[in-house]
Amino acid sequence: MNRVDERVEAGISAPAACAHCGLPVPAGLIDAGAPRQFCCEGCRAVYAVIHEHGLERYYALRATPAPAPARPSERRFAELDDPGFAMRACRRAPDGLLTTELYLEGVHCSACVWLVERLPRLLPGVAEARLDLPRAQVLVRWDPAVVSLSAVARQLGALGYAPHPARGAAAQAVRRREDRAMLARIGLAGAVAGNVMAIAFALYGGMFDGMEPEFAAFFRWASLAIALPSVVWGGGVFFRGAWTALRARALGMDLPISLGLLAGFLHGAVNTVRGTGEVYFDSVTALIFLLLCGRFLLRRQQRAAGDAAELAASLHPSSARLIEDGRAREVPLEALVPGLVVEVRAGDVVPADGVIVAGRSSVDVSLLWGEPLPQAVAPGDRVHAGTLNVASRLEVRVESTGEDTRVGRLMKLVEEHARRRAPIAALADRISGPFVAAVLVLAAATFLLWSRVDPARALDHAVALLIVTCPCALGLATPLALSAAIGQAARAGFLIKGGDVVESLTRPGRMWLDKTGTLTAGRAMLVRWSGDESVKPLVAAAEAHSSHPLARAFLGALGEPAGGPVQILETHGGGIEAEVGERRVVVGSPDFVASRAKTAPPDLAREVDALTGDGLTPVLAAVDGTVVAAAGFGDPLREDAQAALDRVRELGWRPGILSGDHPLVVAAVGRRLGLLPAESRGGVAPEDKLRAVTGAEGPVVMVGDGVNDAAALAAATVGIAVHGGAEAALAAADVFVTRPGVARIAELLDGSRRAMRVVRRNLAFSLAYNVAGVALAMSGVLNPLVAAILMPLSSLTVIASSYRARTFRPRTGEAAPCR
Amino acid sequence: MSVMFILLPVALLFSAAALAVFVWAARAGQFDDLETPGLRILHEEDTSLPPPPAPRPSRHGWPGAS
């Protein structure tokens, strides 16, 4: 097996770099005579477009090579010219220009910004293209009289940035407005806090050196006047939150915050009017500013993760190719009805459930049902929407569409479970109840104690306690730590949709892993080769002429094909028979080869049985009538799977496999990973996955990538979608892991633990400050100056502790992942 | 020291003006995307090619907000 891996490595690491994407060019594609090498047709096409328009500066601007080869889109995007789409998604300016936003796949750096924004030069009629890089959205303004939106989309597609109409534009506009309003609010709170603090400095100076009463009164009235808008407009966020929570008979962090803010402000206002006593306006306004900042940061981080998932969700095909009068044209997906015949080209996703009427191909169903090997299909076979046609063109008669397809029914299950899940009370919210109770009891105690000692000062001291315990740092402790962690996580390749997810990941329970694509690579590979090494070039030469998926797996693993003329004698679903030079080569299933070979050594026959027993697909090769080699194909475990699973166990989780693949294969994988037979379940239908998740006791984490996992992902305590998965899985999951490999899951758990450790440390810090404040207030030595020093100090401690912490940050020496 | 009675309101007026500008900028979407404009400025135009049509920024920045 090791030998095969080395060969695979050797096949990939060729010296030449692709002229477009900079990735190594596979040995078979190197054209020695050409001035430039390309790793794939996609890169070649995009390079040609860029070259043709004189935009080579793109390559000079690009600091790092592209993270992936270009995939220019050849779709026609006719559905974008539909008047309905224009109504829904485009805005018309008074000068007749239309504006819309498109999501772009594959934009990743500054050079992409440059290239995309050169669109007006490439395409007359486009007035402006502005790319928003973090959101991967381009805003296009164009003249519909000169150019159509489909032409714009085709041009973007030709540059390698496949465009997709941005979904949920209305919801996005609402959120953008909310964000802007929040920012304006923070600006106000900040300006107020700064000015009140400046005035407070004068008052503190007066505390030591004395101040004429008319100035003191003027400064207090001025502070009151400035603080009022901040408390009403900025603090209103917390008052509303506390009120909503109270009406729902719940407690949250908003309640103690509101209590402290109101006590501080009203006390100050009364003292200002009375002209005697302390005012705490500087502490109150600084508090509002800091708390608003914390909220804003957390929301922004969570939203960024949500946006990325939404982007991925909008990448599914929204058109189909309808065959009418022998010609195919693109139509919106909604236009499909049962009985129509659609064309599915190689590389396309099947748009609807149906029966094949013409063409032979293989269909990749791994995202849907978890079987890694593509299935051969022929006329009369059924194909399902969402599966990928890998080999050649098919014509499919539509039987059901949209929500009536197998995928559509699954997605309905997903929606139901996403709605049903109860939110998890965050750690900070859980401690807020006892916190409020303790503060009120302490304030009452202070009042009672001091009313015996000095009745005139009793109320002052009680209010001072309420103010100084206002959980500023406590309110910041969780959001700051989590937003810093989520931000680091995003840079490390984990998109986390909420702070509560991080917390849930630290409470171990059951972890169900999908096999295909999660524990394994998700595609067929040559795992075992037994027999003569010298025939490999012959086999490779024969297989080079087959489009069967196993043939392609062969090619990557066998190295250079033998030279000389190759003549295909017979090719068939079961195998291929060819003449390579002088030799006659037969490669295929054991039955296919047995019927064409005269002699077969018995050890190779035993090997076929052994391969089948190990859950591998056996393939035999015969040369000149003698069986010479047996090869086993399978979907091998990722190298890091064992280590990652050990770490997951160490952290207290109980891992198990839920897979749609054959039970024998799953059992073999489970045995290798040291799982109990009951914990490696194969042949599991999507509904059964859902049942396994909902039926389990305690927290359940589901890790998967396919549509068949989506319902279980939505129902689990935390659903984790892994790299390369189906859009449905991304939308349903709470965490999206953008880099491949199951080791990422262990990293995610470790990072979450570190993040929660920071949260707890922050809470401990801020509680310690509160205890100190309570002690000062109860002993009657607290004054506004002490409060003004103590409270920001506690907040600064928490801020520093949050942003200094290393939670998800990749360790030094590890390359930073490309965005 | 009674100049304070004038100085303080004047200082506050300045703050209010600055705040008004900030609120306007926030509402107009100037802070929506803090990453791309910084990159855009690096791409000075080639003079050999015709300049792109002058972009006319709409009052509300991204039109989605208006």
Side-chain angles (χ1 to χ4, degrees):
Chain A
M1 148 137 204
N2 278 335
R3 201 167 52 231
V4 172
D5 284 348
E6 279 161 27
R7 290 225 168 211
V8 171
E9 292 289 343
I12 291 169
S13 60
C18 173
H20 176 70
C21 69
L23 296 174
V25 179
L29 289 176
I30 289 183
D31 180 359
R36 290 185 187 81
Q37 306 297 334
F38 295 96
C39 69
C40 58
E41 281 309 306
C43 285
R44 187 187 297 278
V46 172
Y47 184 89
V49 172
I50 291 176
H51 186 74
E52 179 191 337
H53 290 93
L55 294 173
E56 285 95 341
R57 224 169 103 74
Y58 168 74
Y59 297 104
L61 287 169
R62 200 170 60 179
T64 50
R71 284 191 303 153
S73 171
E74 283 169 15
R75 286 183 47 212
R76 307 289 307 159
F77 297 102
E79 75 276 8
L80 294 185
D81 294 335
D82 189 59
F85 177 82
M87 287 280 287
R88 256 194 343 268
C90 304
R91 290 171 299 276
R92 184 179 289 275
D95 52 7
L97 297 186
L98 287 176
T99 310
T100 197
E101 277 165 35
L102 299 169
Y103 276 126
L104 295 187
E105 278 180 73
V107 287
H108 58 94
C109 67
S110 145
C112 297
V113 177
W114 183 82
L115 193 56
V116 169
E117 295 190 350
R118 290 313 91 146
L119 197 61
R121 285 197 197 153
L122 264 64
L123 213 56
V126 177
E128 187 185 2
R130 285 178 84 78
L131 182 66
D132 180 339
L133 188 58
R135 290 190 184 81
Q137 281 186 26
V138 64
L139 175 95
V140 188
R141 225 148 51 82
W142 79 101
D143 187 348
V146 181
V147 69
S148 66
L149 183 58
S150 61
V152 175
R154 277 197 299 276
Q155 184 68 65
L156 284 168
L159 288 173
Y161 307 115
H164 302 272
R167 295 195 178 191
Q172 243 186 21
V174 168
R175 287 195 324 206
R176 200 172 278 154
R177 245 195 322 268
E178 275 174 13
D179 263 2
R180 292 171 180 179
M182 190 74 173
L183 205 56
R185 212 171 266 153
I186 288 176
L188 175 89
V192 165
N195 282 295
V196 170
M197 199 180 291
I199 297 176
F201 265 74
L203 285 171
Y204 294 143
M207 259 168 54
F208 297 110
D209 304 336
M211 184 183 270
E212 285 163 55
E214 78 252 33
F215 281 119
F218 173 62
F219 284 145
R220 285 156 163 254
W221 276 103
S223 321
L224 172 63
I226 311 167
L228 188 64
S230 171
V231 172
V232 171
W233 200 35
V237 175
F238 305 104
F239 304 151
R240 268 197 300 278
W243 179 239
T244 317
L246 272 182
R247 274 203 312 199
R249 298 186 179 281
L251 291 167
M253 244 323 132
D254 281 346
L255 188 63
I257 289 173
S258 302
L259 203 64
L261 291 181
L262 277 179
F265 181 73
L266 293 178
H267 182 69
V270 168
N271 282 351
T272 305
V273 174
R274 285 199 318 170
T276 170
E278 315 282 19
V279 294
Y280 289 90
F281 293 129
D282 54 337
S283 292
V284 169
T285 49
L287 215 62
I288 292 175
F289 174 59
L290 286 171
L291 286 168
L292 284 177
C293 286
R295 293 259 152 124
F296 182 70
L297 286 176
L298 182 64
R299 226 167 55 155
R300 213 170 164 124
Q301 290 294 3
Q302 293 183 348
R303 182 156 302 167
D307 276 352
E310 198 173 279
L311 164 64
S314 72
L315 301 185
H316 88 102
S318 49
S319 68
R321 294 175 63 79
L322 181 66
I323 299 184
E324 268 177 342
D325 312 325
R327 285 181 38 208
R329 68 181 176 93
E330 219 159 287
V331 293
L333 217 49
E334 292 77 26
L336 288 187
V337 288
L340 295 178
V341 175
V342 291
E343 178 194 49
V344 185
R345 294 171 302 181
D348 279 358
V349 174
V350 179
D353 284 6
V355 172
I356 296 174
V357 289
R360 282 167 179 278
S361 178
S362 3
V363 175
D364 180 353
V365 298
S366 61
L367 284 185
L368 225 54
W369 316 127
E371 288 164 37
L373 298 185
Q375 294 173 341
V377 288
D381 285 346
R382 219 159 217 298
V383 285
H384 289 287
T387 53
L388 182 72
N389 177 18
V390 279
S392 60
R393 184 178 171 279
L394 290 175
E395 285 178 22
V396 177
R397 186 184 314 108
V398 175
E399 289 198 330
S400 51
T401 60
E403 293 197 340
D404 299 328
T405 59
R406 187 84 171 81
V407 178
R409 290 202 300 276
L410 272 181
M411 291 321 295
K412 254 192 252 168
L413 269 181
V414 173
E415 263 172 47
E416 278 167 27
H417 281 272
R419 274 203 303 272
R420 208 175 292 161
R421 187 161 48 175
I424 306 155
L427 181 58
D429 286 337
R430 281 202 309 274
I431 64 172
S432 71
F435 184 85
V436 174
V439 166
L440 289 178
V441 167
L442 286 170
T446 313
F447 183 77
L448 288 177
L449 283 174
W450 277 93
S451 52
R452 298 195 168 195
V453 183
D454 181 2
R457 308 269 298 152
L459 187 63
D460 273 353
H461 291 321
V463 171
L465 184 135
L466 283 183
I467 297 165
V468 82
T469 51
C470 179
C472 171
L474 206 56
L476 285 174
T478 320
L480 276 186
L482 289 180
S483 77
I486 291 175
Q488 286 190 16
R491 283 191 290 280
F494 305 101
L495 301 174
I496 301 176
K497 286 193 205 161
D500 54 341
V501 174
V502 177
E503 198 177 330
S504 306
L505 284 175
T506 57
R507 278 188 238 125
R510 168 63 78 183
M511 175 179 286
W512 287 118
L513 296 141
D514 178 43
K515 179 186 74 77
T516 312
T518 308
L519 290 170
T520 65
R523 54 177 195 276
M525 285 183 5
L526 179 56
V527 178
R528 216 150 85 198
W529 171 277
S530 37
D532 200 346
E533 287 290 316
S534 61
V535 299
K536 279 185 173 179
L538 293 176
V539 174
E543 290 289 338
H545 294 265
S546 168
S547 63
H548 193 273
L550 283 187
R552 281 192 280 166
F554 247 136
L555 272 185
L558 292 184
E560 283 293 303
V566 177
Q567 201 191 350
I568 302 300
L569 301 177
E570 189 186 356
T571 172
H572 170 273
I576 189 165
E577 186 170 5
E579 215 158 67
V580 181
E582 303 284 291
R583 325 274 309 257
R584 202 180 186 81
V585 182
V586 184
V587 190
S589 68
D591 290 345
F592 179 87
V593 176
S595 65
R596 284 161 181 80
K598 289 189 275 297
T599 52
D603 58 324
L604 286 180
R606 274 197 304 277
E607 172 68 8
V608 168
D609 292 338
L611 288 171
T612 317
D614 289 345
L616 301 173
T617 306
V619 169
L620 286 181
V623 175
D624 296 335
T626 307
V627 179
V628 288
F633 284 90
D635 184 15
L637 270 181
R638 289 181 188 274
E639 283 173 15
D640 51 12
Q642 183 67 59
L645 224 57
D646 288 345
R647 180 67 189 145
V648 165
R649 275 202 204 97
E650 225 171 86
L651 292 171
W653 295 83
R654 285 172 292 128
I657 303 178
L658 278 184
S659 174
D661 204 357
H662 197 276
L664 265 181
V665 180
V666 177
V669 169
R671 263 200 311 280
R672 284 194 49 193
L673 290 170
L675 295 171
L676 300 175
E679 288 178 328
S680 30
R681 302 198 208 157
V684 187
E687 290 80 1
D688 297 331
K689 287 195 176 191
L690 179 61
R691 223 165 289 137
V693 164
T694 50
E697 302 211 342
V700 187
V701 166
M702 173 77 202
V703 185
D705 65 344
V707 175
N708 57 340
D709 303 315
L713 287 173
T717 319
V718 177
I720 303 174
V722 295
H723 174 80
E727 297 87 20
L730 303 186
D734 304 295
V735 183
F736 172 40
V737 184
T738 58
R739 289 185 296 153
V742 66
R744 304 290 95 76
I745 305 301
E747 271 173 39
L748 177 68
L749 295 179
D750 278 330
S752 301
R753 273 164 64 94
R754 283 193 290 272
M756 282 315 285
R757 213 175 294 149
V758 177
V759 168
R760 282 195 210 96
R761 188 172 72 199
N762 283 355
L763 290 176
F765 269 137
S766 53
L767 283 175
Y769 275 109
N770 271 329
V771 169
V774 165
L776 291 176
M778 288 189 83
S779 54
V781 296
L782 188 78
N783 60 36
L785 181 55
V786 176
I789 294 171
L790 199 61
M791 299 180 67
L793 202 61
S794 67
S795 305
L796 285 179
T797 316
V798 170
I799 292 170
S801 143
S802 300
Y803 283 96
R804 290 274 308 136
R806 181 185 292 270
T807 49
F808 287 93
R809 213 176 293 168
R811 283 178 200 89
T812 43
E814 213 173 297
C818 207
R819 44 174 296 122
Chain B
M1 276 299 278
S2 50
V3 72
M4 265 297 162
F5 294 111
I6 308 220
L7 275 184
L8 186 64
V10 169
L12 288 179
L13 272 182
F14 278 116
S15 312
L19 180 64
V21 171
F22 176 80
V23 169
W24 168 82
R27 292 215 162 139
Q30 301 280 334
F31 300 106
D32 282 1
D33 177 8
L34 300 175
E35 204 170 312
T36 328
L39 299 173
R40 200 172 281 138
I41 203 166
L42 300 173
H43 309 146
E44 84 252 67
E45 284 303 319
D46 290 339
T47 43
S48 56
L49 289 164
R56 278 174 305 168
S58 64
R59 203 175 104 70
H60 293 284
W62 285 66
S66 46

